[in-house]
Amino acid sequence: MPKPSLKDAILDAGLKVMFRTGYHGTSVRDVTAAAGAPQGSFTNHFRSKEAFASEVLDRYFDVTRGLVAEALEDTTLTPRARLKRYLDIITGRLEADGYGRGCLIGDLCLEATGSSEMLRTRLTEIFAEWRVPFAACIAEAQARGEIASDFEPGELADFLLASWQGAILRMKVDRNPKALERFKTIAFQTVFKELT
């Protein structure tokens, strides 16, 4: 009888370890120890640390996609309210982590893109995909006359995601939600100001 695969346990452990120690601070030994798996299991499933980190990132982005859908597909809210709802959902998750853990996507952008072309490319793809539902929601808000149409929806989506990542980074430094709340207040009183 074949041994059960430990791949999922290793990926789950890797996500937790990478959040705690970062990409460069995470070793195969740390991950396999956290997963309760022999080191050989790692190399059975992943050809490199980069490939492993890419799969951890994909797993994390799957969760992020679900959170985006939860907020932006809620048609009981106006498009502008849906955008704010997403930020509120993320704020709640960050609060549950004591404001000490941010976004793995942003963390890897800072830490790994200078040393890993594979991860830089994957992160570029993630941002391209991530912006699509935000751009659609912003376009809907503009079409309804709910927010200004001075900028293209895709540009505003990029602005929202990039600025939000910056607020999350500052939150991690301060260990409180002030940067998140400041961003939401300013963004929704200026760029995403309600027109109707």
Side-chain angles (χ1 to χ4, degrees), residues 54 57-58 104-113 116-130:
S54 183
L57 184 58
D58 288 344
L104 186 65
I105 296 166
D107 290 349
L108 287 175
C109 284
L110 285 175
E111 190 181 9
T113 56
S116 170
E117 184 61 21
M118 175 195 288
L119 291 175
R120 190 199 67 75
T121 299
R122 183 63 190 122
L123 286 160
T124 298
E125 294 165 354
I126 284 171
F127 274 108
E129 180 182 337
W130 203 3

Side-chain angles (χ1 to χ4, degrees), residues 22-82:
Y23 174 70
H24 291 299
T26 297
S27 70
V28 171
R29 183 176 311 216
D30 296 332
V31 172
T32 54
Q39 277 189 275
S41 294
F42 186 94
T43 54
N44 285 342
H45 296 294
F46 310 101
R47 69 183 183 279
S48 66
K49 183 178 171 184
E50 279 180 309
F52 168 71
S54 183
E55 287 197 45
V56 168
L57 184 58
D58 288 344
R59 184 171 281 220
Y60 181 84
F61 190 48
D62 284 344
V63 172
T64 302
R65 281 187 196 100
L67 298 173
V68 170
E70 179 184 335
L72 301 188
E73 294 175 11
D74 181 356
T75 57
T76 65
L77 300 173
T78 66
R80 182 177 177 274
R82 284 182 239 156

Side-chain angles (χ1 to χ4, degrees), residues 32-190:
T32 54
Q39 277 189 275
S41 294
F42 186 94
T43 54
N44 285 342
H45 296 294
F46 310 101
R47 69 183 183 279
S48 66
K49 183 178 171 184
E50 279 180 309
F52 168 71
S54 183
E55 287 197 45
V56 168
L57 184 58
D58 288 344
R59 184 171 281 220
Y60 181 84
F61 190 48
D62 284 344
V63 172
T64 302
R65 281 187 196 100
L67 298 173
V68 170
E70 179 184 335
L72 301 188
E73 294 175 11
D74 181 356
T75 57
T76 65
L77 300 173
T78 66
R80 182 177 177 274
R82 284 182 239 156
L83 294 171
K84 187 158 185 324
R85 175 74 182 125
Y86 174 77
L87 302 180
D88 290 340
I89 288 170
I90 300 303
T91 299
R93 292 175 67 89
L94 295 169
E95 179 182 20
D97 289 328
Y99 303 111
R101 202 170 82 170
C103 172
L104 186 65
I105 296 166
D107 290 349
L108 287 175
C109 284
L110 285 175
E111 190 181 9
T113 56
S115 59
S116 170
E117 184 61 21
M118 175 195 288
L119 291 175
R120 190 199 67 75
T121 299
R122 183 63 190 122
L123 286 160
T124 298
E125 294 165 354
I126 284 171
F127 274 108
E129 180 182 337
W130 203 3
R131 76 192 291 260
V132 170
F134 285 94
C137 189
I138 290 165
E140 186 181 346
Q142 289 175 332
R144 289 183 179 196
E146 191 179 17
I147 63 172
S149 296
D150 298 346
F151 296 95
E152 292 295 318
E155 293 297 310
L156 288 175
D158 279 336
F159 166 79
L160 178 68
L161 291 171
S163 301
W164 183 241
Q165 286 296 317
I168 290 172
L169 290 174
R170 178 63 187 270
M171 173 219 71
K172 284 176 62 176
V173 171
D174 296 339
R175 294 287 199 265
N176 67 54
K178 289 179 184 175
L180 305 176
E181 297 306 328
R182 182 169 47 247
F183 170 76
K184 288 189 276 188
T185 298
I186 293 171
F188 282 86
Q189 288 182 14
T190 58

